[in-house]
Amino acid sequence: MIVIFDIYIYNILMSYKLMGIKIDGESFICSLDHAFNLINDDKVSQVVTINPEMYAQAETDIEFKKVLQKAEMIVPDGIGIKIALKIKGHDVERVPGVDFARTLIDWCAKNNKPIAIIGAKEEVINKAVENLKKEVENLNIVYYHNGYFDDNNEIYEKLKESAPRLVLVALGSPKQEFFIYNAKNILPPCLMIGIGGSLDVWSGTVRRAPKIFQNLGLEWLYRTICQPERFKRIFPSIPKFLWKVITYKEDK
Ligand code: UDP
C-alpha cells in the first residue's frame, strides 16, 4: 500500500516483460497487497515464484511456458531474476517464495481465511503443519496431504470439499505449477501458490541460509554448499540465463 497525502492507493503492481513472460512486482509489500486481493477474489488465481531454472524449463516445454503466461501473478524469487530485471533497467525487490508464503499464512490466520497445504514427504508435512499450528495463532488448516500421490483428482476433490482460500503446493517445479494450473477450472475461489522446498524449511528438515547470505541474495550459494548436488542444477542455468536476457529482443 502507498500513502500519498492521506490518499490510500492499494494494489499498485508494476509488471515487466522478461523474455516473453510477465513478471509482477516492485516490492515485497506490493506483491503481498496484490496477493491479499487475489485471496479475496471470486476466482482461482495462480501465483508463481519464478527463478532462472523455470525459464530454462519453459524454453524446452511449451506447455509450461503457457502455464507461466497464464498465471495471475509471477513474483521475482531468484536473485538471477532480480539481476536480469536490473540489466533491463528495472530495480525490483526480490520476493523469496518461502517468506512470501509464510506471510500469506499469517495474514490468512488473522483474517479468518482457511488454508490447505499439499506436498513433501509424509513426515515432513506432518512436522511442518505441527510447527505452523504452534507458531501461528488462529491458523485454520482445513486440509493437508503429502506430495506423493498418483491421482490429482482425489486431491482436487478434497480441496473442493474443504474450500480453502489459500492453497500452498510444494511438489517442486514444474510439477506444482501444472498441478495448480489444472485445478483452476475445478476448485472454488482461492489463491494457489507453488512453494518448492518451503515445507522442508518449516518442518526443520532443511535449515535456511543464515541472514547474511539471505540479505546478500546468496541463499542459493549456501544451499549449494550444503547440497553440492544442486551445483549441476543451478550453475549452468544462471550464466546461460543472463546471457539470454542480454541478447533477447523483447518484442520478438
Ligand atoms: N516433492 C513432492 N512430490 C514430488 C516431488 C517433490 O512432494 O513428486 C517435494 C519434495 O519432497 C520437496 C519439494 O517437493 O519437499 C521440492 O523441493 P525442491 O527443493 O526441489 O524445490 P525448489 O525449492 O528447488 O523448487
Side-chain angles (χ1 to χ4, degrees), residues 18-33:
L18 188 64
M19 294 198 288
I21 292 166
K22 188 171 68 68
I23 306 212
D24 309 289
E26 190 69 19
S27 64
F28 190 89
I29 198 81
C30 249
S31 303
L32 267 181
D33 206 28

Side-chain angles (χ1 to χ4, degrees), residues 230-241:
R230 292 182 76 91
F231 186 78
K232 268 207 295 236
R233 204 172 111 180
I234 286 177
F235 183 69
S237 69
I238 291 192
K240 260 197 209 162
F241 167 73

Side-chain angles (χ1 to χ4, degrees), residues 119-121 147-148 170-173 175 195-197 200 223 230 233:
K121 294 184 185 135
Y148 296 88
L171 302 175
S173 190
K175 199 170 176 181
I195 58 167
D200 300 279
R223 287 177 83 185
R230 292 182 76 91
R233 204 172 111 180

Side-chain angles (χ1 to χ4, degrees), residues 29-244:
I29 198 81
C30 249
S31 303
L32 267 181
D33 206 28
H34 192 61
F36 297 155
N37 287 337
L38 292 178
I39 292 176
N40 283 325
D41 211 352
D42 57 3
K43 64 178 179 97
V44 179
S45 304
Q46 175 163 23
V47 176
V48 177
T49 67
I50 203 163
N51 59 35
E53 294 156 59
M54 288 159 95
Y55 266 94
Q57 174 75 24
E59 220 171 84
T60 53
D61 182 344
I62 187 77
E63 290 305 313
F64 184 57
K65 187 162 186 180
K66 271 191 214 153
V67 168
L68 295 181
Q69 285 169 332
K70 289 187 176 160
E72 276 64 25
M73 170 157 79
I74 300 189
V75 294
D77 183 344
I79 183 74
I81 303 292
K82 182 179 161 64
I83 297 171
L85 286 170
K86 183 92 188 153
I87 290 170
K88 297 280 175 194
H90 313 301
D91 205 359
V92 303
E93 198 179 347
R94 265 190 71 211
V95 180
V98 61
D99 297 326
F100 193 64
R102 186 59 170 73
T103 316
L104 292 179
I105 291 175
D106 289 343
W107 186 87
C108 283
K110 279 203 193 86
N111 292 278
N112 229 352
K113 308 280 179 194
I115 79 165
I117 310 177
I118 314 291
K121 294 184 185 135
E122 179 72 10
E123 63 277 18
V124 171
I125 189 163
N126 287 343
K127 188 68 190 159
V129 165
E130 187 189 317
N131 290 346
L132 286 170
K133 280 183 178 166
K134 268 191 223 148
E135 287 164 25
V136 186
E137 211 181 316
N138 295 328
L139 180 60
N140 181 13
I141 302 179
V142 286
Y143 177 64
Y144 64 95
H145 196 284
N146 71 60
Y148 296 88
F149 47 84
D150 297 323
D151 186 3
N152 284 5
N153 290 326
E154 264 177 36
I155 306 290
Y156 293 150
E157 274 310 307
K158 295 284 182 198
L159 288 170
K160 248 161 89 177
E161 279 165 26
S162 50
R165 296 302 304 216
L166 172 69
V167 182
L168 305 162
V169 186
L171 302 175
S173 190
K175 199 170 176 181
Q176 61 196 19
E177 278 73 36
F178 282 117
F179 177 88
I180 293 173
Y181 181 76
N182 293 326
K184 274 184 168 178
N185 293 327
I186 302 176
L187 300 193
C190 62
L191 181 153
M192 301 184 81
I193 177 168
I195 58 167
S198 302
L199 294 176
D200 300 279
V201 174
W202 299 336
S203 66
T205 315
V206 169
R207 271 193 51 194
R208 215 132 170 231
K211 272 272 177 270
I212 176 96
F213 281 82
Q214 290 180 36
N215 293 342
L216 291 171
L218 294 176
E219 211 163 350
W220 61 272
L221 179 64
Y222 181 82
R223 287 177 83 185
T224 311
I225 294 166
C226 298
Q227 296 167 271
E229 65 280 6
R230 292 182 76 91
F231 186 78
K232 268 207 295 236
R233 204 172 111 180
I234 286 177
F235 183 69
S237 69
I238 291 192
K240 260 197 209 162
F241 167 73
L242 292 178
W243 177 246
K244 278 188 190 130

